[in-house]
């Protein structure tokens, strides 16, 4: 992700002054400027331009930033140093991260993927530095990259007899290009090139599905879990950030055509596939579309994402037991009794946010923002924080008897995506276009930008979704004409209103669209959105209309405590809010009152998302 001026600058790489400046900042091997074929109409802001203000999501970001800023650097580097035969001081991290010998597929995950998430921690810190400007964070990133560089050799000794080389390289790649892009790390691109050379002898000639991996000789099942099909996104980004076309060629080599070609033709090839990594792969399709300009990759991502949405839970989560199901067979309903591993929350939300950002930027379709907020409030917003010893939240449980628990192994994949995801909340909230700004997420936050030459700041104040309102206050250095586009959620009712400086707008308020406010904005202007939020029921799938979740606007409400044997639709829809500061709702059933609450309010109590209803 980059800001528009930089993207346009790269695209216009032929401009003499630009090309000279670019060449000076690149190492000798990067001789050509990158070009992209498609510039989306919407751009993300720079990380430093959007600040989250106090609220649960700012706290989540701060917690992650603080935890990773204080991680022991020798411990982080230990698996790399050990596998290279170097002196490796410091404690073992534990869990998936260690270079251990007792890993046994499907039984003991200690030492599953040594060092797998190093690059994600580096990426999370780099983005956190870009948000906060914290010098200690930047210094740690630079130290880590320098020390990691010493463990990289030309033959890729680290990857010898390593079960997921593409997986770990992909994360390391992301960390290094982010350290370069967001933390001004002088060595990062050079180390990235060397890391790429190190892994190449250990990668197959093309992206391989799990089925294809199983058909090849393999030491054990873990050697069939690699995710070569997610490589193109970061390789395309490496190409754009370095200007080295060899990264583009590598990205093209790992595009999984066997996956994207049928998706582009609207054939559902998702069932049985690993959920998170295949949603993550949609972002590779989007980069292929942007860089190569081939429409079919946009169609693949759009269709694929729609197929995921069609088999999502009411929370926006997907992929019971980390897999997609065959649609039309009631298998989502079956999962409510069959598993407690309902949604790989942190990685899933990270992948979901990435693909919805791409699709929103390209299509300007506000429903991708709706999808983002549903995942935000119902899944990751209720994730337990990572503990200092690496104990992490992983699965949300939508079983008929469910509890919120930490994952059994320390430092899993979800500990890698959490700091990245939390740093991205700001850039997911607003987008810039040629003619103005898009307000996508309703989070307490502040965005600053230049519209023509006017300095603009928009401060958003809200307690949404607990409250149904949000307020946008503008500070401008001088009056300026531009458009403010506000997302009107598709679920919003007919009484939704939007006003400017206390006066209702004449523009029609259409749910499922961005509402455009074009005017000359001046210092002190205020926009207020009041959303008509109501209770409604959502069935788990078409085959099971009697198994429903209670929703309030975008918010899924979970029943807690003793679940009565009988409940009706009318009783659920007559739920009333518990007065005061609580987030609870009460449903009056024949057997007494039943409490409902959002996922973020659930602690250790047993809960149920889907209720069986009569009537
Ligand atoms: Zn995960």
């Amino acid at each position: 992700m980059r800001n528009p001026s930089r993207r346009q600058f790269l695209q216009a790489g032929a401009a003499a002054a630009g090309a000279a400046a670019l060449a000076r900042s690149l190492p000798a091997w990067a001789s050509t400027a990158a070009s992209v074929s498609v510039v989306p109409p919407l751009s993300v802001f720079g990380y430093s331009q959007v600040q989250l203000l106090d609220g649960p999501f700012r706290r989540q970001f701060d917690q992650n930033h603080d935890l990773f800023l204080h991680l022991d650097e020798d411990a982080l580097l230990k698996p790399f140093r050990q596998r290279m035969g170097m002196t490796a001081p410091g404690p073992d991290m534990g869990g998936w991260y260690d270079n251990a010998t007792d890993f046994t597929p499907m039984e003991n995950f200690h030492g599953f993927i040594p060092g797998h998430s190093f690059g994600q921690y580096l990426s999370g810190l780099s983005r956190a530095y870009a948000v906060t400007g914290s010098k200690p964070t930047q210094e740690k990133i630079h130290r880590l990259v320098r020390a990691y560089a010493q463990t990289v050799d030309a033959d890729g000794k680290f990857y010898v007899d390593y079960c997921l080389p593409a997986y770990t390289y992909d994360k390391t790649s992301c960390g290094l290009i982010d350290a370069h892009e967001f933390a001004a790390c002088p060595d990062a691109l050079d180390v990235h090139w060397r890391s790429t050379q190190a892994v190449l002898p250990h990668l197959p000639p093309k992206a391989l599905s799990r089925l294809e991996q199983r058909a090849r000789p393999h030491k054990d099942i873990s050697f069939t879990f690699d995710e070569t099909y997610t490589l193109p996104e970061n390789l395309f980004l490496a190409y754009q950030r370095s200007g080295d076309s060899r990264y583009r060629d590598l990205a093209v080599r790992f595009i999984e055509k066997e996956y994207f070609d049928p998706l582009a033709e609207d054939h559902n090839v998702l069932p049985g596939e690993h959920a998170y990594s295949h949603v993550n792969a949609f972002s590779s399709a989007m980069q292929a579309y942007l860089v190569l300009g081939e429409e079919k990759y946009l169609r693949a991502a759009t269709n694929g994402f729609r197929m995921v949405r069609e088999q999502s839970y009411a929370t926006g989560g997907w992929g019971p037991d980390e897999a997609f199901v065959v649609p039309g067979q009631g298998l989502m309903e079956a999962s409510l009794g069959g598993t407690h591993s309902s949604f790989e929350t942190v990685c899933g939300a990270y992948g979901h946010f990435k693909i919805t950002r791409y699709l929103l930027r390209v299509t300007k379709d506000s429903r991708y923002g709706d999808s983002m907020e549903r995942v935000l409030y119902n899944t990751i917003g209720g994730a337990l924080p990572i503990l200092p010893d690496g104990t992490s939240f992983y699965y949300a449980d939508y079983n008929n008897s469910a509890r919120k628990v930490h994952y059994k192994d320390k430092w899993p994949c979800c500990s890698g995506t959490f700091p990245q995801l939390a740093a991205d909340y700001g850039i997911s909230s607003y987008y810039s276009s040629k003619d103005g700004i898009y307000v996508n997420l309703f989070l307490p936050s502040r965005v600053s930008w230049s519209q023509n030459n006017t300095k603009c700041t928009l401060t958003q104040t809200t307690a949404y979704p607990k409250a149904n309102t949000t307020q946008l206050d503008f500070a401008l250095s001088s009056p300026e004409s531009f458009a403010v586009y506000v997302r009107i959620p598709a679920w919003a009712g007919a009484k939704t209103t939007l006003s400017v400086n206390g006066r209702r707008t004449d523009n029609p308020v259409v749910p499922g669209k961005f509402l455009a406010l074009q005017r000359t904005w001046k210092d002190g202007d205020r926009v207020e959105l009041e959303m008509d939020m109501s209770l409604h029921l959502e069935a788990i799938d078409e085959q099971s209309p009697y198994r429903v979740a209670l929703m309030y606007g975008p918010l899924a409400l979970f029943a807690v405590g003793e679940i009565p044997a009988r409940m009706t639709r009318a009783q659920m829809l007559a739920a009333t809010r518990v007065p005061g500061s609580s987030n609870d709702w009460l449903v009056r059933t024949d057997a007494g009152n039943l409490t409902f609450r959002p996922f973020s309010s659930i602690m250790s109590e047993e809960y149920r998302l889907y209720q069986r209803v009569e009537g």
Side-chain angles (χ1 to χ4, degrees):
M1 298 295 149
R2 59 179 67 248
N3 61 39
S5 59
R6 168 107 188 191
R7 183 179 291 281
Q8 283 149 9
F9 166 73
L10 282 175
Q11 196 191 26
L22 190 66
R24 273 199 303 278
S25 68
L26 292 176
W29 44 260
S31 52
T32 54
S35 69
V36 295
S37 298
V38 178
V39 178
L42 303 189
S43 306
V44 287
F45 285 101
Y47 281 96
S48 64
Q49 289 179 274
V50 192
Q51 297 294 320
L52 293 187
L53 304 176
D54 191 33
F57 294 99
R58 175 76 208 197
R59 286 194 288 279
Q60 225 179 44
F61 166 71
D62 287 340
Q63 272 170 355
N64 277 297
H65 182 192
D66 186 63
L67 185 137
F68 287 97
L69 176 58
H70 292 101
L71 266 194
D72 187 296
E73 290 167 31
D74 281 329
L76 280 168
L77 293 157
K78 193 164 185 175
F80 299 96
R81 289 170 170 164
Q82 283 175 325
R83 294 180 71 88
M84 297 305 289
M86 297 163 67
T87 310
D92 288 321
M93 300 264 286
W96 287 22
Y97 200 86
D98 284 353
N99 186 48
T101 53
D102 57 334
F103 165 69
T104 317
M106 315 320 284
E107 285 156 33
N108 177 8
F109 274 69
H110 181 218
F112 174 31
I113 325 175
H116 67 104
S117 44
F118 172 79
Q120 293 173 301
Y121 305 154
L122 197 59
S123 161
L125 283 170
S126 300
R127 296 175 193 188
Y129 166 69
V131 171
T132 61
S134 151
K135 275 285 159 198
T137 304
Q138 188 186 33
E139 286 160 10
K140 187 182 190 91
I141 294 159
H142 290 198
R143 281 194 306 274
L144 282 171
V145 171
R146 276 198 303 274
Y148 168 74
Q150 292 168 4
T151 72
V152 182
D153 68 343
D155 305 327
K157 189 174 167 192
F158 174 81
Y159 292 110
V160 172
D161 200 24
Y162 190 88
C163 59
L164 288 91
Y167 182 97
T168 297
Y169 164 74
D170 190 33
K171 315 309 176 204
T172 309
S173 161
C174 184
L176 290 168
I177 57 177
D178 281 1
H180 161 77
E181 182 80 1
F182 305 127
C185 182
D187 328 320
L189 278 189
D190 187 46
V191 182
H192 187 274
W193 180 251
R194 290 174 48 217
S195 301
T196 306
Q197 296 311 297
V199 77
L200 281 175
H202 305 276
L203 296 182
K206 68 177 198 62
L208 297 177
S209 68
R210 288 195 174 190
L211 207 62
E212 288 171 312
Q213 293 177 72
R214 282 200 289 274
R216 291 156 49 109
H218 53 273
K219 186 178 159 197
D220 62 49
I221 188 77
S222 71
F223 283 75
T224 70
F225 294 164
D226 208 7
E227 297 173 2
T228 41
Y229 44 85
T230 72
L231 288 171
E233 184 189 19
N234 286 317
L235 288 167
F236 277 125
L237 285 169
Y239 161 62
Q240 291 163 75
R241 290 174 186 180
S242 70
D244 188 337
S245 60
R246 287 174 292 183
Y247 286 123
R248 184 192 56 209
D249 299 342
L250 271 176
V252 170
R253 174 178 145 189
F254 287 102
I255 293 174
E256 196 188 18
K257 297 189 177 60
E258 299 84 348
Y259 180 55
F260 296 129
D261 285 356
L263 284 177
E265 299 303 316
D266 217 9
H267 297 309
N268 191 345
V269 289
L270 299 181
E273 295 288 7
H274 179 249
Y276 160 57
S277 60
H278 285 83
V279 166
N280 200 14
F282 296 157
S283 290
S284 284
M286 288 307 292
Q287 278 294 339
Y289 166 65
L290 296 176
V291 174
L292 307 175
E294 292 180 37
E295 282 276 340
K296 73 170 180 179
Y297 294 116
L298 173 60
R299 287 203 307 277
T302 309
N303 293 339
F305 183 75
R306 193 200 71 240
M307 292 164 192
V308 171
R309 230 184 42 219
E310 286 168 355
Q311 55 173 273
S312 293
Y313 295 101
T315 59
W318 32 261
D321 287 324
E322 299 196 29
F324 293 113
V325 302
V326 179
Q329 298 184 2
L331 294 175
M332 291 303 284
E333 201 267 348
S335 79
L336 302 177
T339 184
H340 291 273
S341 306
S342 308
F343 176 44
E344 186 186 350
T345 298
V346 191
C347 291
Y350 180 64
H352 199 101
F353 266 72
K354 268 200 306 173
I355 185 59
T356 45
R357 271 200 306 272
Y358 280 121
L359 290 171
L360 177 56
R361 287 174 52 209
V362 166
T363 64
K364 299 197 277 185
D365 186 337
S366 67
R367 287 169 302 179
Y368 294 116
D370 294 354
S371 179
M372 214 184 274
E373 77 169 0
R374 194 180 271 233
V375 167
L376 182 72
Y377 297 114
N378 297 315
T379 74
I380 191 65
L384 299 168
I386 306 175
L387 304 182
D389 70 353
T391 302
S392 298
F393 189 70
Y394 192 119
Y395 293 117
D397 183 355
Y398 306 141
N399 194 283
N400 290 325
S401 58
R403 277 188 200 281
K404 192 186 277 189
V405 291
H406 277 112
Y407 182 63
K408 61 184 173 53
D409 297 296
K410 292 174 182 171
W411 307 114
C413 50
C414 287
S415 73
T417 38
F418 208 168
Q420 296 181 292
L421 171 63
D424 288 352
Y425 290 146
I427 61 152
S428 302
S429 300
Y430 304 93
Y431 301 85
S432 74
S433 65
K434 269 200 192 103
D435 63 340
I437 183 166
Y438 281 68
V439 179
N440 181 49
L441 294 178
F442 307 130
L443 292 176
S445 53
R446 179 174 295 134
V447 55
S448 303
W449 78 104
S450 281
Q451 192 72 42
N452 303 321
N453 285 318
T454 302
K455 284 189 168 39
C456 306
T457 300
L458 187 170
T459 303
Q460 184 172 187
T461 310
T462 184
Y464 179 82
K466 189 173 179 184
N468 66 336
T469 56
T470 191
Q471 179 180 308
L472 314 173
D473 287 297
F474 292 81
L476 278 81
S477 59
S478 61
E480 181 62 47
S481 173
F482 59 91
V484 175
Y485 295 86
V486 181
R487 181 173 59 86
I488 309 296
W491 50 257
K495 291 184 192 136
T496 299
T497 60
L498 194 128
S499 31
V500 181
N501 298 332
R503 197 169 160 268
R504 289 257 303 259
T505 174
D506 299 331
N507 302 7
V509 178
V510 183
K513 300 262 184 212
F514 281 101
L515 189 151
L517 295 166
Q518 174 72 52
R519 69 195 300 268
T520 300
W521 297 92
K522 56 184 192 325
D523 197 42
D525 278 348
R526 172 174 291 180
V527 170
E528 288 161 294
L529 173 66
E530 185 170 344
M531 285 162 272
D532 179 3
M533 285 171 90
S534 59
L535 292 163
H536 56 280
L537 302 177
E538 257 190 41
I540 176 76
D541 52 34
E542 280 179 18
Q543 294 70 42
S544 322
Y546 52 84
R547 186 78 71 183
V548 298
L550 180 61
M551 306 287 298
Y552 177 63
L555 211 52
L557 298 171
F558 296 69
V560 296
E562 189 77 14
I563 313 280
R566 185 176 178 279
M567 221 181 312
T568 67
R569 289 173 199 275
Q571 286 169 342
M572 286 179 76
L573 289 169
T576 53
R577 215 167 188 157
V578 173
S581 61
S582 154
N583 287 305
D584 287 359
W585 292 72
L586 283 184
V587 167
R588 285 159 191 82
T589 74
D590 300 340
N593 287 347
L594 178 62
T595 300
F596 283 71
R597 60 180 56 136
F599 194 57
S600 58
S601 298
I602 289 174
M603 308 299 282
S604 58
E605 67 274 30
E606 196 170 312
Y607 63 83
R608 185 181 288 183
L609 172 58
Y610 283 95
Q611 323 305 326
R612 194 185 167 92
V613 286
E614 300 170 14

